[in-house]
Amino acid sequence: MPEMTDILNALVLFTNFVLIPGIAYGSQLALGALGVTLIYGILRFSNFAHGDVMAFGTMVTILATWWLQSMGVSFGPLPTALLALPLGIAATVLLCLVTDKLVYRYYRAKKSVPVTLVMASLGVMFVVNGIVRFIIGTDDQRFFDGERFIMKAREFKNLTGLNEGLAIKSSQGITVVIAIILVGLLFWFLQKTRAGKSMRAYSDNEDLSLLSGIDPDKVVRITWIIAAALTTIAGVLYGLDKSFKPFTYFQLLLPIFAAAIVGGIGQPIGAIVGGYVIAFSEVLITYPYKKVVTYLVPESWAPESLLQLLGTEYKFAVSFMILVIVLLVRPTGIFRGKVL
Amino acid sequence: MVSNMSNAMRATLAFTAMGTALVMVGVFQSWALSLTILNLCLISSVMALGVNIQWGYAGLFNIGIMGFAALGGAAAMLVSMPPVDNAWSAGGWNILFSAIFFIATIFAAWFVHKKMSKSRFQTIAMIVVLVTGYLLTRKFFDPAVDAIEATDSAKTGFLGGLGLPIILSWPVGGLLAAGAAWIIGKVALGLRSDYLAIATLGISEIVVAILKNEDWLTRGVKNVNGLPRPVPYELELHQSEWFVSLVEKLHSGSLIGLEGVAREVALKAALTESAGVFVKLCYAGLFATVLVIILTLCVLALNSPWGRMMRAIRDNETAAEAMGKDVTGRHLQIFILGSAVCGIAGAMLTTLDGQLTPTTYIPLRFTFLIWVMVIVGGSGNNLGAILGGFLIWFVWVESEPGGVWLMSALTGWLPEGNAVKDHLVQSAQHMRLVVMGLVLLLVMRFAPSGIIPERNR
């Protein structure tokens, strides 16, 4: 029977490497998936440019951060990027509205099949991707400053006397706080305000909502603004937590789509749940359990292998597998999203 | 005026222009470069044909072309490389056992899914099957991988291939891609059209991740170099009588009047150049043969009752379904066929490169560029897809020096060593992305049927 401290050590280890990163990553995915799902619900196509729009917003925020830093501005213990964020959001909103006007609106007016819009979003993705690489290059950028940790592993060890430390990065704390605020705001907006209600009506039944006098252009515009803001924030939070690299953001497209579909595409609550489902599956499946198990079993049983279900290089395969399972078992997703 | 031109006219004009452009490259730059571009144009065309089969005939949206091409590339390596005997004796049996357990697990899971009635018992049985299967597979797989990767890892460290002629890998690559397409199609077809797109995106990322990380199979990022060629090596040509005499005959004009050492040197230079060109011509011949075969099959298929049915399904799924056509079944069929063609093209590309380099598989080059080819060329029209393959590849290759030149010209007024100037010139290559995206958007909007539109029937 393992001793109490061993169990506690195992728990702390698990929390440190699985629970906390999972919550932070899940919140980032949820914010990204919310954007995808809103666009899907209102504009009725899967926006493949989403990942690169995210990269664009993050890039503008990084540039603004550098500019603020060069001016000697800082946000105390918080990262300067949070001050630069409004600028990033504004630029991304502008980008989305311009692409909508130049590209998507034409196909919407023509009532093209969704796949044409998807293809158009591919073209937009190309252009935005090119612009981002042209401006900031393809390298890794780290732009986190301010206090790195809310709690350091050593402090936790001293505090509790355990072997294992529990570290909480500020980026993780910021992510969770911002995600909660944003989700709260979004649901308040969708449920209580006139604009939010008209969005839901439009998503439910386009013809009926038009008959009741809802202005479709306004609904579309609000959708892009919200999606752009959510996307930029998701991108900046991800970049603060890990790092910014244009190609990584393109690759985030897969887990984000998986999250939206798993939760039920077109359903905001589904996007949030889906985000956490995907994030936790990724972390749980790629985490090596060797140390955790070593604490829990008698010494002679201690495992030799890493006890890792899948290498971290295959983390994208995890979101794909979950996507496949959901498509096979329940194609509408957990929360019964849009019709197929 | 242009819009009134018949398709045959347009095709003739466009292909003549393309041929002229390639000849111009030959005359002004070099023939070796012109042939290099031609070879890649041919491969791109085959790939574009594959995508055209899916998109043009059936309206299926596949954005995982990279994955299918990578499977073809893996096939080229696995078929042609000689087996590494030491690695096989080190871990061969264990790999075989783990493969057997892996396949057995999948069959058992399928059996449980199909044959058992839905109940809590079925769920439990499924979990038991999957967990046992996973554990057994890992038990043999892990030591095998360690043993194989440890055998002379600087040179080999992988199992090698079958040591067969590399040409054989082309159909094999097609089969591998078809297998992957079958799995994806089974899952994602019959649902919303964008789900197929997302699923293909996923599988292509996974295929490339496997190629990069499974060192025992593909050496991962260490690359596999020196794949055997289907055509003669330059060195062999230098030593063969008939080739030397051929070159002497071709260059008799410039060799006349030269004596002794001077003649030797001139002949050597001529030999080196001609051997390179000859090898590229051999490749071009092989690729053109494949292209013609696939094109013929495509044309025959499109004109057959089957082709008519496919168009009917594409243009109105509901009506076709009401007429008793199995829409999902036909979609699966055509998705597999198109992916197989992409796989063949992928194998051809790796054959031409003579090496498998998993890091070169990037979605931009292998998925999105191909899409631009199909849309610009004319989706639904086979000749259009081929033209798109030629045109876009040509522009892509020639725009690299062009972009740098343009940027240098534009920033010429800035002083040497200026940070902005350096940045702009260095980033010029990324402008190609923007240009390609704009081309795609503009063609979609203003000329949705492409350069050679689909024939109205």
Side-chain angles (χ1 to χ4, degrees), chain B residues 201-262:
Chain B
L201 180 74
I203 196 79
S204 69
E205 296 279 345
I206 291 174
V207 166
V208 174
I210 290 177
L211 291 194
K212 276 185 195 160
N213 294 305
E214 297 304 312
D215 286 17
W216 61 276
L217 188 66
T218 61
R219 293 197 81 214
V221 290
K222 287 182 284 182
N223 303 341
V224 181
N225 298 315
L227 301 187
R229 278 187 186 177
V231 298
Y233 286 84
E234 282 87 349
L235 211 63
E236 286 170 21
L237 288 174
H238 281 275
Q239 286 153 1
S240 49
E241 291 281 326
W242 65 269
F243 188 75
V244 175
S245 58
L246 182 77
V247 171
E248 272 178 331
K249 205 176 278 173
L250 283 175
H251 288 262
S252 51
S254 56
L255 287 176
I256 261 178
L258 290 174
E259 289 289 328
V261 182

Side-chain angles (χ1 to χ4, degrees), chain B residues 38-55:
Chain B
L38 173 70
N39 279 332
L40 283 164
C41 281
L42 286 166
I43 294 174
S44 303
S45 307
V46 175
M47 240 181 244
L49 264 182
V51 176
N52 187 38
I53 291 175
Q54 294 173 342
W55 172 250

Side-chain angles (χ1 to χ4, degrees), chain B residues 165-186:
Chain B
I166 199 164
I167 293 268
L168 273 182
S169 75
W170 299 0
V172 172
L175 281 178
L176 276 187
W182 180 76
I183 298 172
I184 294 298
K186 270 284 177 195

Side-chain angles (χ1 to χ4, degrees), chain A residues 40 46 48 102 106-107 116 118-120 125-126 133-135 250-251 308-309 313-314 320 327 340, chain B residues 61 63 134 138 192 194-195 199 205-206 210 213-214 363 368 371 423-424 427 430 433 437 441 444-445:
Chain A
Y40 187 91
S46 310
F48 275 85
L102 292 180
Y106 170 77
Y107 299 102
T116 312
V118 174
M119 179 90 83
M125 181 188 105
F126 248 98
R133 285 166 188 235
F134 183 73
I135 296 179
F250 163 75
Q251 282 192 319
Q308 190 179 22
L309 286 167
E313 60 273 15
Y314 291 117
F320 180 75
L327 288 186
L340 298 173
Chain B
F61 195 41
I63 50 172
Y134 175 81
R138 279 294 289 265
R192 277 191 51 93
D194 355 13
Y195 285 12
E205 296 279 345
I206 291 174
I210 290 177
N213 294 305
E214 297 304 312
F368 302 123
W371 267 106
H423 179 80
L424 285 177
S427 313
H430 302 308
L433 281 170
L441 287 173
M444 271 182 73
R445 172 82 171 261

